[in-house]
Amino acid sequence: MTPRRSLLAGVVAVLCLAFLGPSAPSGALVARPLPVDAAKDIVPNRVMTWNICNPCGKSGQNLGRAAEIATYAPQVIGLQEACVRDVEEIRGLLQGLYGLRYHVTYGSVLHSWGRCGGLPWKPGGYGQAILSAAPMTDRVNAEYPDGGSEDRGYLSVTTTVAGRTVRVINTHFAERRQEPVRAAQARVLAKEIARHDRAIVIGDFNAMPYAPELAPVQALATESDPGCRDAAGGVCEPTTDWQSKFDYVFLRGATALDGQVRVHPSAYSDHHLFQSDVRFVRRTAPDAPRTP
């Protein structure tokens, strides 16, 4: 190939990558270097939650998001405000660039061409998603009767964390200044939590830790960060760019390991990644789901 033709081919390749943006195949991308203290492999007792939107749909964001998740390598991570095609790409990047294999389950509550792309007659799914290093079963995807200003719901699956079978529930409550709507959503969610002796409830609740509307959830599961359990309970680290604590890991039949509840700020969302490493409470009776 002549130098002139080689230069032309290089220019075309760069333009193609710029045009494809987040749809570019992982083989054309280079893994971003991880910090020296990054997890070496999946951490079997680590759960995380992350609202990944804002900025939404920006080219190259998913490469950065995959690097963030790979840095902490949780056993389970719940994503909110997630477009199916973004999650598909993040999952592919985690495997192709970092060797981390995740199963995925979707809990879309909207199908929006304007928000998630796709075709006008086949718009992209939008809502919750769960990535788990272990297989997931018994999927329940439910919309709340009243989502507030936008459809909202929860995604519930059975999977394995720290070698134990557990119900993982990922949710997104109504936006700020919609307290009565969130209170009703919490009552619906509490019925799902109550069915299980062991549950990990993760998500963006759009409410501060001591907000009254969270009471039905807090009556059944404990916030993993002891500093965020009440208004005077200690230092409660915010999980958003606007200095609010909106993202939670609630634990039922489990506790968080001391010193392993952490907030990780990110340049790829206005929410931070929230991490809890957990251990399960010893039980004497066999596991069995409860009825509401």
Side-chain angles (χ1 to χ4, degrees):
M1 182 180 290
T2 65
R4 185 173 182 179
R5 184 172 296 180
S6 177
L7 176 62
L8 178 61
V11 170
V12 170
V14 170
L15 290 175
C16 285
L17 283 176
F19 176 76
L20 289 171
S23 299
S26 59
L29 301 174
V30 178
R32 298 192 179 187
L34 303 182
V36 294
D37 59 347
K40 305 306 179 187
D41 203 348
I42 297 287
V43 182
N45 67 332
R46 179 165 295 168
V47 296
M48 300 186 77
T49 183
W50 194 16
N51 183 321
I52 63 172
C53 197
N54 290 326
C56 308
K58 186 177 178 181
S59 178
Q61 289 291 105
N62 291 333
L63 182 60
R65 290 166 177 160
E68 296 275 28
I69 294 172
T71 297
Y72 310 110
Q75 174 77 4
V76 169
I77 182 167
L79 305 176
Q80 304 88 42
E81 294 201 64
C83 291
V84 168
R85 71 172 187 166
D86 286 332
V87 178
E88 287 175 343
E89 186 182 13
I90 291 167
R91 183 178 176 229
L93 292 167
L94 285 167
Q95 179 173 334
L97 299 183
Y98 301 103
L100 301 176
R101 296 175 179 267
Y102 284 98
H103 301 266
V104 63
T105 303
Y106 295 102
S108 298
V109 293
L110 288 173
H111 288 84
S112 172
W113 176 78
R115 188 190 295 267
C116 291
L119 300 171
W121 56 90
K122 190 179 179 182
Y126 171 84
Q128 285 70 248
I130 296 174
L131 297 178
S132 173
M136 292 174 276
T137 60
D138 304 319
R139 170 183 173 270
V140 172
N141 183 39
E143 288 192 40
Y144 294 120
D146 183 1
S149 56
E150 179 180 87
D151 292 352
R152 296 288 164 89
Y154 69 82
L155 171 64
S156 180
V157 300
T158 298
T159 190
T160 302
V161 175
R164 306 291 292 275
T165 300
V166 63
R167 196 69 175 172
V168 175
I169 307 167
N170 181 18
T171 192
H172 189 191
F173 277 9
E175 295 176 347
R176 289 176 287 179
R177 296 180 293 278
Q178 299 181 63
E179 291 85 354
V181 177
R182 288 198 299 275
Q185 292 171 348
R187 291 191 291 271
V188 173
L189 185 64
K191 293 180 180 179
E192 171 65 14
I193 299 170
R195 295 182 62 246
H196 308 281
D197 289 317
R198 285 201 298 264
I200 298 173
V201 187
I202 54 184
D204 174 4
F205 289 78
N206 272 312
M208 295 297 286
Y210 39 87
E213 63 263 32
L214 295 184
V217 174
Q218 293 169 325
L220 296 168
T222 303
E223 155 63 10
S224 61
D225 187 347
C228 296
R229 291 174 187 162
D230 59 67
V235 178
C236 181
E237 193 169 355
T239 63
T240 66
D241 285 352
W242 57 93
Q243 298 300 303
S244 293
K245 162 72 173 178
F246 279 0
D247 305 274
Y248 296 85
V249 175
F250 290 107
L251 301 173
R252 178 173 172 87
T255 60
L257 294 180
D258 291 343
Q260 296 301 316
V261 178
R262 297 176 180 173
V263 176
H264 304 290
S266 171
Y268 304 104
S269 173
D270 58 356
H271 285 252
H272 310 326
L273 294 90
F274 183 55
Q275 165 198 325
S276 291
D277 293 0
V278 306
R279 65 177 179 85
F280 289 98
V281 177
R282 188 181 299 275
R283 299 179 66 245
T284 56
D287 301 333
R290 296 183 178 183
T291 56

